[in-house]
Each structure stands twice: as C-alpha cells, then as structure tokens.
Amino acid sequence: MKKASSNKRCALPWLVAGLLGLFTSTADAAALRVTVHRSGQFLACIPLPQPRFELSFIHSVSLTPVTDVYQLTTANNDGWTLLQTRERFIAHGQGLPSMANEPDATAFRHHDGVFELEMARPIPRLIVRTDARFRNRLHTGQQTVDLNQWPDNGLLIAPVSRCD
C-alpha cells in the first residue's frame, strides 16, 4: 500500500477560512452613533471596546427577556455593515424565531431553558423602537446604556469610526 505524500495539503480548510473572513472581518469602528430616526437629531455616541454589542429588551407579547447580538463588519470597502449573529430568548412569541430554517439562520438550539438562534443576518439599518415598559438596553462589554432615556422614539443606531 502506498503511503500518502506528505507534501500535498488539502486546500479546503484554507478556502473555508478565506470565505469566512469575507463575512466576519471586523471593521475599524470604535463607536455607535445614536440619533432619532425620523429627525436625525443626535442623541449619543457610545464607544465600543470591540466590534460587537448586544441589545436587550422585554418582548412585547411574551413579556420575557430577549438579547440580540451584533457584529460590525465591512463590506467591499463600501462602508459599514451590521450583522446580527445571535438571538437568545426563553419563550416563543410573535416575531421570535421558532425553527432552524429561519432566514439567515446557521443553528438553532434549546438548552437550560433558553432558545438560541445563531445567524449571519445583515442589518442595513438598525432602528430600535423604545418603550419604557420593555427595558431597551445597549450593552458594549464595558457599559450598559439605557435606551429608554429617549422614550417612545425610533432610534437609529449606526457604527462610526470615533466619537467627535
């Protein structure tokens, strides 16, 4: 039996890593700019210690906590792209995923009473509708921002290079 040649390497891992890099390359963004969606009124600039953040809220139908995880990426040097990478929740409700074949889903699990949908969902414009009853929060890893300080608004959250 012939021994496999040690100088041949499989190109598949390199190809997969390269393709994943296209979708997961992190941007140089250092902050999130929060404005009122309709008027464009500036409200805050929130520094990011890393190119990811979370939004948490109480679901309006099930009245249970939900956390969405986002990653900042770049897209063909055209600017910023937000990618939703995960959604965690404890009860199904209107607007929450219910199966593995949700749009852009990569995995769906249920463990320790928590449902978790992993995904690679591009978010062209992130608009958060605030309502004090639903405890809208933005988590950066170093701080938590109460988005309900701007009650009953549609907030546009957009990545920027730095806070000026």
Side-chain angles (χ1 to χ4, degrees):
M1 177 175 250
K2 250 186 180 174
K3 198 174 186 180
S5 173
S6 61
N7 63 356
K8 289 186 179 181
R9 295 187 180 194
C10 179
L12 187 57
W14 292 100
L15 177 62
V16 170
L19 289 173
L20 284 174
L22 289 174
F23 297 106
T24 60
S25 63
T26 57
D28 294 329
L32 295 171
R33 186 172 195 263
V34 181
T35 58
V36 176
H37 170 61
R38 292 198 187 272
S39 70
Q41 175 191 359
F42 174 81
L43 299 172
C45 190
I46 302 160
L48 290 177
Q50 57 189 349
R52 69 179 295 278
F53 64 95
E54 297 180 357
L55 293 174
S56 64
F57 56 95
I58 301 300
H59 191 271
S60 63
V61 175
S62 65
L63 301 178
T64 57
V66 177
T67 301
D68 293 336
V69 180
Y70 297 88
Q71 178 77 36
L72 277 61
T73 63
T74 55
N76 302 327
N77 298 324
D78 290 341
W80 308 106
T81 299
L82 286 175
L83 193 66
Q84 185 178 2
T85 60
R86 181 171 294 138
E87 186 161 49
R88 289 187 299 265
F89 53 98
I90 60 172
H92 288 292
Q94 181 101 17
L96 288 173
S98 58
M99 58 186 68
N101 65 349
E102 294 288 332
D104 306 308
T106 58
F108 188 70
R109 301 185 263 293
H110 183 249
H111 56 87
D112 299 327
V114 175
F115 294 97
E116 192 168 77
L117 178 70
E118 290 186 25
M119 64 186 85
R121 179 176 294 158
I123 306 293
R125 292 172 51 95
L126 180 56
I127 299 170
V128 175
R129 308 258 182 241
T130 61
D131 184 319
R133 298 173 296 166
F134 304 125
R135 292 186 234 144
N136 304 93
R137 305 289 187 266
L138 187 148
H139 310 274
T140 68
Q142 289 185 337
Q143 67 176 324
T144 297
V145 178
D146 179 0
L147 297 176
N148 292 122
Q149 64 186 293
W150 306 293
D152 304 318
N153 262 309
L155 305 179
L156 176 61
I157 299 174
V160 294
S161 295
R162 66 183 182 278
C163 292
D164 292 329

